[in-house]
Amino acid sequence: MAAADTLSNPDAAAASPALPALPASLDAFWMPFTPNRKFKQSPRLIVGSEGLYYDLADGRRVLDAIAGLWCVNAGHRNPRISAALKAQIDVLDYASNFQIGHPAAFTLAERLARMAPEGMDHVFFTNSGSESVDTALKIAVAYHRARGEAGRYRLIGRERAYHGVGFGGISVGGIGRQRSTFGPLLNGVDHLPHTHDLARNAFSRGEPPHGLDKADALEALISLHDASTVAAVIVEPVAGSTGVLPPPRGYLKRLREICDRHGVLLIFDEVITGFGRLGTNFAADLFGVKPDLITTAKGLTNGAVPMGAVLMRDAVHDAFMQGSVSAVELSHGYTYSGHPLACAAAMATLDAYLHDGLIAQAAALSPYFEEGLHALRGLPGVIDVRNVGLLAGIELQPWAAGPGTHAQAVAQHCLDAGVLVRSVGDTIALSPPFTLERRHVDQIVDSLRQAIAQTAQPTDTPA
């Protein structure tokens, strides 16, 4: 059987060839976004992966319905990507891109520019989504200064938004528990209202019909602060970590119109939606709105090596290309910007998306994915289903035990049944690899149906 055939077949390959030894203690590692004491009382450890599946330390193989963490779009240990990494490490392990470079970074940047919306022909490499966001915010502020508008320093984010964990990202982000821990954040930041409208938009498919008016809050904020002080607006085209919130119809276009009217840059955070998650190269393509900057990471390398990238309009890039050719145009960067291994993984990943047809495959399967998930409507406690492309959220009625407890219970039952889903608040989030088939969609939906039924409480009522 060919290596590629194992991508969607749990029986085609045994567990990963060399399983790591389990640690003697779990105390030293402070895990991110995790209740560490609770986890270490009953740890869940992944020791291998193949295609759509994870191998757990207890010997079980589970279907990964969240693509690692929204990122393993081409399947785990994709043969094309693994081969590229193995070949690269034997040629060049590391090279700086500070005033010297290596060819792969330039080649990858050119490929990304061809893949991006027209006129976004320049790329700045980072190592994560958080770094991409902070980079984009810095570029936006520096862009206005380069054009003689140093008074434009304000940044506008949105309630319930997630933009990573840098001080810039959590400042423009809008999830309270991620902001309150760290005290005062960046000055000059304001937030648009979120677009979630359960009363009018529950069980919408794709863009919900109501909420265009929420974009008009941007006009009010710009008026409040004076347009001459506003540098940029940043939004996720589809808000992911808050529970998968697609934009209302026309919402993103209205934001674009308002930004154009006032000379404000528009940034799309496509760390989750970039590289085919919605069935198109970028969310900007699906919604027909071209931002000034796009932040990316996750699916760029299929999660195999940390990497991010900021794509920008030519006019943004060109504003910096003034003055002495010996001057550093942007005093910003990272030791690992454009790392050779990351570039190799990214180029192989783009080959999988484009040449192996995985983005087209994701688009083709999206209607079946949608139908399966919306069939959960009417189950006890299911109050909404939201979806676009291979991205979905099933919102559950909160329990008196506390926020998130309902979704956590459902997620645990799914894991016990062999399917890994993600709970974000009281929403179950799904973002499976593009290599899945209809039978895998059926398995995901069936596990959710059973888990929702098994965890139902008397207070859960169908929507």
Side-chain angles (χ1 to χ4, degrees):
M1 178 177 289
D5 292 338
T6 68
L7 287 175
S8 59
N9 186 349
D11 301 317
S16 304
L19 299 182
L22 297 181
S25 170
L26 303 179
D27 289 342
F29 179 30
W30 192 350
M31 300 170 67
F33 284 108
T34 300
N36 278 255
R37 290 164 295 174
K38 179 180 178 181
F39 174 89
K40 290 167 185 178
Q41 291 171 358
S42 181
R44 301 178 298 180
L45 298 177
I46 295 168
V47 296
S49 62
E50 182 74 22
L52 294 170
Y53 296 88
Y54 274 132
D55 298 311
L56 304 187
D58 61 12
R60 289 184 297 146
R61 173 162 276 200
V62 299
L63 175 62
D64 177 12
I66 54 176
L69 194 61
W70 324 87
C71 54
V72 188
N73 299 342
H76 291 281
R77 291 172 54 212
N78 181 289
R80 183 189 283 279
I81 301 167
S82 296
L85 284 170
K86 292 171 184 175
Q88 180 62 49
I89 195 64
D90 288 334
V91 175
L92 178 64
D93 57 348
Y94 172 76
S96 168
N97 280 299
F98 286 24
Q99 301 183 36
I100 192 170
H102 64 93
F106 295 90
T107 302
L108 175 59
E110 186 175 308
R111 290 193 60 183
L112 287 173
R114 291 200 303 266
M115 190 177 183
E118 184 178 358
M120 304 192 78
D121 295 327
H122 300 279
V123 180
F124 195 102
F125 287 119
T126 70
N127 306 290
S128 68
S130 294
E131 289 185 1
S132 290
V133 166
D134 276 20
T135 296
L137 296 177
K138 290 176 74 174
I139 288 174
V141 171
Y143 161 81
H144 290 295
R145 294 181 71 88
R147 298 175 65 252
E149 295 187 78
R152 288 187 181 266
Y153 69 97
R154 294 188 187 276
L155 302 168
I156 296 176
R158 187 169 59 187
E159 296 170 351
R160 294 189 60 169
Y162 179 75
H163 296 296
V165 297
F167 266 97
I170 58 176
S171 296
V172 295
I175 298 178
R177 67 181 182 276
Q178 294 171 6
R179 294 166 51 87
S180 59
T181 304
F182 305 104
L185 302 173
L186 294 185
N187 291 322
V189 175
D190 211 332
H191 293 79
L192 293 164
H194 66 75
T195 63
H196 190 31
D197 188 342
L198 189 62
R200 295 193 297 171
N201 288 330
F203 300 100
S204 298
R205 301 185 181 211
E207 296 172 272
H210 304 287
L212 172 60
D213 56 302
K214 292 184 180 294
D216 293 331
L218 178 57
E219 189 76 61
L221 284 180
I222 291 175
S223 176
L224 172 66
H225 295 298
D226 185 341
S228 67
T229 71
V230 181
V233 175
I234 181 169
V235 295
E236 301 159 275
V238 178
S241 294
T242 192
V244 185
L245 304 179
R249 292 175 193 165
Y251 174 87
L252 296 176
K253 290 183 179 180
R254 181 70 59 83
L255 291 184
R256 176 75 274 179
E257 292 167 359
I258 296 171
C259 286
D260 286 343
R261 188 154 56 244
H262 297 289
V264 175
L265 296 185
L266 178 61
I267 305 169
F268 277 3
D269 183 344
E270 295 220 36
V271 170
I272 289 175
T273 57
F275 305 108
R277 175 55 56 189
L278 307 186
T280 53
N281 291 349
F282 296 95
D285 301 311
L286 178 66
F287 298 120
V289 178
K290 184 162 65 176
D292 299 293
L293 299 109
I294 294 176
T295 65
T296 71
K298 294 191 183 293
L300 174 56
T301 62
N302 203 49
V305 179
M307 190 182 212
V310 178
L311 316 178
M312 68 198 78
R313 279 194 175 195
D314 298 347
V316 173
H317 167 270
D318 293 348
F320 294 91
M321 302 300 141
Q322 309 295 328
S324 171
V325 297
S326 298
V328 173
E329 292 90 359
L330 182 68
S331 295
H332 175 70
Y334 306 96
T335 298
Y336 301 117
S337 291
H339 191 287
L341 283 174
C343 288
M347 286 193 281
T349 300
L350 297 188
D351 286 341
Y353 292 154
L354 302 175
H355 301 323
D356 297 345
L358 291 187
I359 292 180
Q361 185 172 323
L365 192 61
S366 293
Y368 190 80
F369 184 67
E370 176 180 278
E371 289 298 327
L373 294 176
H374 279 271
L376 299 174
R377 181 175 185 174
L379 293 180
V382 176
I383 60 176
D384 194 12
V385 176
R386 304 180 287 270
N387 69 284
V388 56
L390 287 185
L391 183 62
I394 298 93
E395 188 168 352
L396 304 172
Q397 185 174 316
W399 283 348
T405 54
H406 192 172
Q408 290 167 17
V410 169
Q412 183 60 53
H413 272 262
C414 286
L415 184 62
D416 293 341
V419 176
L420 177 64
V421 301
R422 185 162 187 246
S423 61
V424 287
D426 276 300
T427 296
I428 295 294
L430 300 169
S431 59
F434 304 166
T435 52
L436 85 168
E437 302 168 4
R438 287 190 172 203
R439 60 191 176 92
H440 302 117
V441 175
D442 294 342
Q443 182 182 352
I444 293 167
V445 172
D446 288 345
S447 72
L448 283 167
R449 180 179 291 108
Q450 294 171 20
I452 290 166
Q454 290 168 0
T455 58
Q457 294 187 354
T459 54
D460 291 338
T461 57

